[in-house]
Amino acid sequence: MKLLKWLSVTDRFYKIYLDKQLAPFGINCSQHMFLIKICDSPGILQDSLMNMFYVHPSNIVRTIAALEKQGLITRSPNNKDKRTWELYPTDRALSMVEEIRTVCEKTESLLLQGLSNTEKDMLIDLLMQAGKNITAELHIERKEEELND
């Protein structure tokens, strides 16, 4: 039960911390990873985000709508399949994505503070394995490279 407790505590408080750090950009901890991915992959299909971030489609729709409303992304119908959307960053998003990335890196550094490089690598590897274990149990299929991000 110790593991579940500390996963929960860490999750809750890193999100509070990250929300405060991201507030000047007008986004929160549940939006930053989508925005970074869209900036890194202009034209990415909205449907592909489901397999990358392990979230319910309704959460993706809400997040994309919020980012669009804030003027950070635009959506275009996919020419090959009109039921899906291509997502593009706006100039505003591109102008701040590096600062957002820096905030995320600083948050990771804070979480890993006091650990050796070996311990950091081991913790990340162990958390990835734990994630693979639970998604396999729930029969959630993911591409291996997406699990390694």
Side-chain angles (χ1 to χ4, degrees):
M1 296 290 269
K2 231 190 234 190
L3 173 64
L4 296 179
K5 173 189 173 183
W6 285 104
L7 282 174
S8 177
V9 168
T10 303
D11 179 65
R12 189 170 49 253
F13 286 102
Y14 106 79
K15 286 178 179 174
I16 292 168
Y17 177 84
L18 194 54
D19 277 345
K20 287 180 183 179
Q21 302 306 307
L22 293 171
F25 303 101
I27 63 172
N28 62 38
C29 67
S30 64
Q31 297 169 330
H32 78 281
M33 59 189 179
F34 292 97
L35 186 60
I36 290 171
K37 189 65 176 175
I38 294 165
C39 287
D40 288 347
S41 305
I44 190 169
L45 295 178
Q46 182 171 323
D47 292 349
S48 69
L49 297 175
M50 240 185 326
N51 294 330
M52 290 178 194
F53 298 119
Y54 310 96
V55 294
H56 193 273
S58 64
N59 292 339
I60 293 172
V61 169
R62 271 194 303 277
T63 300
I64 296 306
L67 292 172
E68 187 176 32
K69 185 177 178 182
Q70 293 164 329
L72 296 171
I73 66 165
T74 59
R75 296 183 307 152
S76 301
N78 181 354
N79 290 332
K80 295 176 185 168
D81 183 352
K82 298 293 183 193
R83 296 171 297 173
T84 63
W85 295 94
E86 295 174 355
L87 307 174
Y88 296 92
T90 62
D91 289 340
R92 179 171 171 241
L94 291 171
S95 72
M96 61 187 196
V97 72
E98 289 310 315
E99 290 178 82
I100 292 169
R101 223 184 288 277
T102 299
V103 165
C104 293
E105 289 167 2
K106 287 180 180 178
T107 302
E108 274 193 22
S109 292
L110 178 62
L111 285 165
L112 299 173
Q113 186 176 321
L115 300 178
S116 70
N117 287 336
T118 301
E119 290 169 328
K120 291 174 189 178
D121 291 342
M122 187 182 301
L123 176 61
I124 292 167
D125 289 344
L126 292 170
L127 287 172
M128 285 173 50
Q129 184 59 52
K132 289 175 185 178
N133 292 345
I134 197 73
T135 58
E137 181 65 25
L138 294 171
H139 308 292
I140 298 172
E141 294 182 27
R142 303 293 184 218
K143 294 180 193 163
E144 188 64 28
E145 66 268 13
E146 291 167 354
L147 284 171
N148 292 326
D149 281 344

